């Protein structure tokens, strides 16, 4: 078990560990000629070690001794079989976390051909080639045999993925590597951007947690593959010495933090949730400790965390998936790809599976796929939420339509009731008017009757007198009958629409209002210039006009206007006909102007005003006729304007000046 954990630690960290021995020119693969020596005290010189015996490295895989505080010496016997003597050779060490690397190239005569120092402890600017890996030229021109001695001291894992390449090979490999690095970080950049946009769009905090996780993962990767030093933190000692280990622990914390909320482990997997909380705490403590203590002291724990956490999260995902948590499927797929990639990488390093193209990057590819899957998991949640939301909206829409229909029906019923109420109120007024209008002719009839009776008794009523009395009585009876007809017509409930001449309706309305207008000595003026007719219900329109005339009357009486006047204008207006009723009662005060069409709004005494007239008028004009009613103050009074759409094709031109009159 211990061995297994160790292997995991080693292979989680050895992302770049591989040897590519390009032997087209140099004889024999590097592995076969490499041998090593442990310098327990770390004080041996290259002259001393040359006299000591090195242990041949018998394994077929890359050099890796795990975490150790010992100094290691490596020896490689080189045989330059290149046909071209001027070929330039480069030593490339593919593990950017090594702190101190001393290189000694020793010729056959034991003379030191070159001696160089590399590693993260050296300033980046001092590197021979500004690469994230360590690259150094081996001056092997015209030299057939040489010995390469490499001294390595590191707090990181002791591994030495070596390659010796010609300039062309180095260039080719660098290009390939750049392409891969661009693609890899490109994917992360897109995933990051995508999640930032989704966060802005949804404001879902899981996206923030995920963004935090990806960001710390990217930073960790940058520190791990040396690109951090190359592009971002340069020679900053603290970042070089602590950044990588602190970022491992912090990334572990972020992965746990995101997963815990995303999977809702507290609800679906309470036991795992407790374990996650504990590991979260450890990770946080370790990220702080890593920022303080030396790399070598904390890295074994951090590496253990990095190896252990993906497994915990995969298990958590699987448990939660059983609870029909849809997005957990993507989550599990994500972590599985990461772990599968890690296993492939590890198996390859242990020669359990053969090397294939890209095997050295398989873990990075796994992590990129993982991030894509996790993004999909989050996106799936948005999709589900959206579906749920649309469902809710549809249900809401349905009930809303029902409610609106119901409310509309109620409102229509109420409005019909108002019309009836106001009709009844108007009827009361009408009865009063009929009584008033009949009083005079009835009185006259009584007088004629009395005259006729007295003359008859006195023997003075001859034929002529009788005829005269008869025709006078008849005339008054006709008048009384006409009055009844007028009012009966008005109260007909017939609401069928027909083409009406608004001028004629204005005459009707004025005639029906005649009694109270005359009584208040109010003059009227009717100007008709409209030729178009409108399709409306006659009685309702007359009722509206009578309301407006009555309101004008009331205002004139209330304001005690001695020369009160009501003017009605009927004129064509664009696509319809406009009829206005104006008075000279001083206008409507601005603070009530907004409310006068509201139901039950009145400024009159309770026994005089109901607040129904204008509300009902608006209902009739706008709802029944599809027109518009508005009000404005004019100099000295108020003007109500009604616009009704004309039926031009059916309209008959009216040129009857008899409407243009003063009553
Ligand atoms: P009511 O006549 O029963 O009060 P209305 O709805 O017909 O109900 O009128 C509402 C209010 O509008 C009136 O109380 C009055 O204050 C105001 N109003 C209507 N017409 C006029 C007008 N021509 N001049 C001044 N105020 C008016």
């Amino acid at each position: 078990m211990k061995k297994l954990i160790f292997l995991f630690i080693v292979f989680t960290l050895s992302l770049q560990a591989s040897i590519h021995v390009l032997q087209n020119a140099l004889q024999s693969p590097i592995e076969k000629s490499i041998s090593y020596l442990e310098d327990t005290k770390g004080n041996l010189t290259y002259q001393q070690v040359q006299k000591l015996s090195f242990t041949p490295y018998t394994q077929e895989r890359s050099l890796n001794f795990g975490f150790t505080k010992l100094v290691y010496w490596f020896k490689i016997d080189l045989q330059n079989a290149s046909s071209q003597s001027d070929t330039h050779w480069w030593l490339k060490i593919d593990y950017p976390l090594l702190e101190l690397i001393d290189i000694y190239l020793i010729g056959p005569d034991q003379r030191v051909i070159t001696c160089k120092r590399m590693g993260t402890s050296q300033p980046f600017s001092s590197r021979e080639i500004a690469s994230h890996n360590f690259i150094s030229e081996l001056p092997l021109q015209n030299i057939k045999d040489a010995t390469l001695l490499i001294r390595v001291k590191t707090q990181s894992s002791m591994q030495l993925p070596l390659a010796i390449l010609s300039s062309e090979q180095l260039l080719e490999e660098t290009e390939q590597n750049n392409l891969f690095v661009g693609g890899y970080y490109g994917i992360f950049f897109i995933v990051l951007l995508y999640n930032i946009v989704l966060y802005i769009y949804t404001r879902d905090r899981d996206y923030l947690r995920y963004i935090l996780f990806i960001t710390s993962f990217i930073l960790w990767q940058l520190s791990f593959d040396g690109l951090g030093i190359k592009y971002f933190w340069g020679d900053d000692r603290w970042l070089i010495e602590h950044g990588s280990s602190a970022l491992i622990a912090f990334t572990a914390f972020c992965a746990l933090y995101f997963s815990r909320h995303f999977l809702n482990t507290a609800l679906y997997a309470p036991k795992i949730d407790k374990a996650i909380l504990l590991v979260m705490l450890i990770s946080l403590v370790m990220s702080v400790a890593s920022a303080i203590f030396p790399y070598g002291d904390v890295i074994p724990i951090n590496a253990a965390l990095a190896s252990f956490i993906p497994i915990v999260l995969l298990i958590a995902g699987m448990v939660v998936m059983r609870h029909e948590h849809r997005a957990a499927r993507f989550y599990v797929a994500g972590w599985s790809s990461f772990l599968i990639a890690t296993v492939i990488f590890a198996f390859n390093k242990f020669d359990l599976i053969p090397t294939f193209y890209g095997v050295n990057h398989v873990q990075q590819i796994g992590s990129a796929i993982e991030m894509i899957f996790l993004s999909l998991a989050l996106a799936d949640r948005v999709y589900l939420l959206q579906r749920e939301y649309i469902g809710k909206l549809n249900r809401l829409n349905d009930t809303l339509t029902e409610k609106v229909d119901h409310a509309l029906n109620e409102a229509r019923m109420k409005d019909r009731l108002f019309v009836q109420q106001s009709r009844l109120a108007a009827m009361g007024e009408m009865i009063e008017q009929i009584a008033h209008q009949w009083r005079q002719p009835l009185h006259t009839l009584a007088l004629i009757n009395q005259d006729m009776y007295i003359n008859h008794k006195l023997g003075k009523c001859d034929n002529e007198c009788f005829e005269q009395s008869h025709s006078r009585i008849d005339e008054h009876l006709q008048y009384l009958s006409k009055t009844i007809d007028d009012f009966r017509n008005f109260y007909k409930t017939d609401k069928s629409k027909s083409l009406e001449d608004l001028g004629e309706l204005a005459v009707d309305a004025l005639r029906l209002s005649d009694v109270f207008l005359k009584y208040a000595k109010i003059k009227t003026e009717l100007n008709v210039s409209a030729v178009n007719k409108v399709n409306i219900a006659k009685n309702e329109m007359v009722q509206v006009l009578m309301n407006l005339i009555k309101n004008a009357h009331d205002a004139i009486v209330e304001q005690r206007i001695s020369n009160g006047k009501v003017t009605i204008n009927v004129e064509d207006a664009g696509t319809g006909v406009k009829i206005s009723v104006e008075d000279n009662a001083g206008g409507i005060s601005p603070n009530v102007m907004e409310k006068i069409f509201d139901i039950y709004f009145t400024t009159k005494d309770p026994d005089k005003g109901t607040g129904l007239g204008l509300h009902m008028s608006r209902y009739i004009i706008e709802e029944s006729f599809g027109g518009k009613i508005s009000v404005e103050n004019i100099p000295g009074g108020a003007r109500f304007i009604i616009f009704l759409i004309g039926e031009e094709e059916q309209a008959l031109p009216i040129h009857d000046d008899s409407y243009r009159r003063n009553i």
Side-chain angles (χ1 to χ4, degrees), residues 551-552 555 583 587-588 596 601-604 608-615 638 640:
N551 276 344
D583 59 56
I588 301 163
I596 58 169
F601 177 80
T602 182
T603 55
K604 298 171 192 169
K608 286 190 184 142
T610 58
L612 289 173
L614 287 179
H615 179 78
F640 285 84

Side-chain angles (χ1 to χ4, degrees), residues 611-623:
L612 289 173
L614 287 179
H615 179 78
M616 182 212 67
S617 301
R618 189 168 66 177
Y619 172 76
I620 291 172
I621 297 297
E622 296 186 355
E623 300 295 318

Side-chain angles (χ1 to χ4, degrees), residues 426-442:
M427 205 189 289
E429 269 174 25
M430 289 303 146
I431 289 168
E432 209 178 293
Q433 285 175 38
I434 293 170
H436 191 86
Q437 213 153 350
W438 274 23
R439 196 170 295 137
Q440 189 56 36
L442 278 175

